[in-house]
Amino acid sequence: AKGAGKGTWTLFESGMGEEASERLTLRAELHRALENDELVLHFQPIVDLKTEAVTGFEALVRWQHPTRGLLAPDMFIGLAESTGIIHRLGAWVIREATGALRRFQDASGDHELAMNVNVSPLQLENAWIVDVVRSALEVAAVGPRCLSLEVTEGVFLSDTAMVAERLQALNALGVRIALDDFGTGFSALGYLERLPLEGLKIDRAFVSGVAADNRGQVLGAIAGLANGLGLSTVAEGIETEAQLAAVRALGCDRGQGYLFSRPLPEAAAAAHLATSRSS
Ligand code: C2E
Ligand code: CA
Ligand code: CA
Ligand code: CA
């Protein structure tokens, strides 16, 4: 009987697939990760394309896993969403990023410095996020205009009236809302006018080909659209000088990418900021 039991278990395990059992393990561990302070934020500079001065950072979450090393968000954000942990995880990110912003502002003396925080569409389904943002701003004592929430086109898959209402409530706190990965989802252009958006982040997919032969039309068109709607633009994933020159020529306001800096731990980001300010 023992042998049969063991055989059954093996069969079940292999049938489930390595990936699925890996997800189950990670899922249990993610619950503990929040309690054990295993999540960390890295910060990637966003620069003014005219001056190349750092105008702010995007906060990007990582999981410092006790045995697997530093895990990228693609490894666990989907899991956090499907298990509902995203609400607590997202609240942690908002508080932590706002606290770091306060430290960056104090260290640089620039109280206009901005922080961009990614918000999952699911987080907008929960009214709690409005209280989380309000209290994070109060605790850190930073101006609401310095905080920018990045939402993806995935929000259009939720109840749009509810999403619009939630974004209005967040906007009423004074925070900015940007549409992330613009152009990669299903672009419901009508919502650009109906949601309280401040800016568009143009996905790396449109930036990577921009320096090649006549591949900048889409990016140029998006920049023109944004300009017409009074929205600011950030070009994502700038890796080369040629791409920088091209997105500049096409009229993007700000840029982000490995050419300027990879996402950095807080101390390194603070050092990067200090260097960029003194030069
Ligand atoms: P995203 O919001 O589009 O963030 C930009 C991603 O592009 C980051 O990957 C960043 O490291 C990477 N990147 C920046 N510059 C370059 C470049 O020049 N070249 C290339 N190849 N990549 C570049 P990362 O940190 O792995 O994050 C992946 C995604 O995970 C993010 O994409 C975002 O959708 C999600 N994410 C990250 N942090 C959070 C968070 O706190 N909450 C939520 N809900 N999602 C998050
Ligand atoms: Ca983002
Ligand atoms: Ca993006
Ligand atoms: Ca992306």
Side-chain angles (χ1 to χ4, degrees), residues 90-115:
W92 179 87
V93 169
I94 290 165
R95 293 190 196 106
E96 193 72 12
T98 311
L101 174 60
R102 175 67 205 215
R103 293 187 288 277
F104 290 142
Q105 288 189 342
D106 286 348
S108 64
D110 177 0
H111 292 268
E112 307 269 279
L113 200 72
M115 181 66 72

Side-chain angles (χ1 to χ4, degrees), residues 142-204:
V142 299
R145 301 300 289 163
C146 298
L147 183 66
S148 186
L149 304 179
E150 299 191 3
V151 301
T152 60
E153 292 168 300
V155 296
F156 301 130
L157 299 173
S158 312
D159 172 354
T160 46
M162 184 267 297
V163 166
E165 191 188 320
R166 199 77 76 226
L167 292 179
Q168 299 290 357
L170 288 164
N171 189 53
L173 297 178
V175 301
R176 300 170 194 251
I177 317 282
L179 199 52
D180 199 2
D181 301 341
F182 186 75
T184 61
F186 87 102
S187 310
L189 295 180
Y191 293 116
L192 292 182
E193 287 185 303
R194 271 181 272 158
L195 297 179
L197 297 175
E198 188 271 332
L200 300 182
K201 294 194 75 175
I202 306 174
D203 195 77
R204 182 162 66 87

Side-chain angles (χ1 to χ4, degrees), residues 69-103:
L70 197 66
L71 299 183
D74 295 338
M75 292 286 291
F76 61 90
I77 289 293
L79 197 62
E81 288 175 334
S82 65
T83 53
I85 300 173
I86 193 67
H87 298 288
R88 281 202 301 138
L89 189 158
W92 179 87
V93 169
I94 290 165
R95 293 190 196 106
E96 193 72 12
T98 311
L101 174 60
R102 175 67 205 215
R103 293 187 288 277

